[in-house]
Amino acid sequence: MSDRLNELERLAPGWDGCNAIPPDRNYLSRARDFLSSDLISGIAPGPDLVPTYDGGLLIEWHTEVIDLIIELGPAGNTFYVRDSETNTEVEAALGDSMEQLASAFMKLGLGK
């Protein structure tokens, strides 16, 4: 994960061939702290880290059961969860709907 974060730190303005802004260093720093936490560092495989055109960052896990996307960005910090076992989808600000977010992390941690 560290290599990918370092790579994202080196993106230049226009990295997408148009007008994309490089990921904000604050988002990258928060992602680095989050991904090195005990809760997250034990989840395998690790997430995909995807820059957004507006200087934000997506942290994504996709499994057979769970799709979890956390977005750190200028419009706010949000998450999206799709759980195929319960046939539910939730999109909310980080800090809201914590039960669904906790359930997603539990299923990711169990390797489902």
Side-chain angles (χ1 to χ4, degrees), residues 4-71:
R4 177 65 175 151
L5 287 167
N6 291 337
E7 177 184 315
L8 294 174
E9 284 179 340
R10 292 188 296 272
L11 288 177
W15 59 264
D16 67 342
C18 292
N19 298 316
I21 300 168
D24 185 284
R25 291 190 182 274
N26 183 40
Y27 302 139
L28 294 171
S29 176
R30 287 195 285 172
R32 191 179 307 277
D33 291 345
F34 173 67
L35 294 170
S36 65
S37 70
D38 290 340
L39 170 69
I40 304 305
S41 64
I43 296 175
D48 294 321
L49 302 174
V50 181
T52 63
Y53 73 94
D54 60 356
L57 180 67
L58 301 176
I59 304 170
E60 302 184 357
W61 287 268
H62 300 283
T63 69
E64 290 181 25
V65 175
I66 292 290
D67 289 306
L68 171 59
I69 302 169
I70 296 172
E71 181 170 3

Side-chain angles (χ1 to χ4, degrees), residues 85-108:
E85 284 184 335
T86 62
N87 199 30
T88 58
E89 290 183 67
V90 175
E91 187 170 354
L94 280 176
D96 295 344
S97 301
M98 294 304 292
E99 183 176 312
Q100 287 84 1
L101 187 58
S103 174
F105 277 118
M106 187 174 89
K107 288 180 181 184
L108 285 171

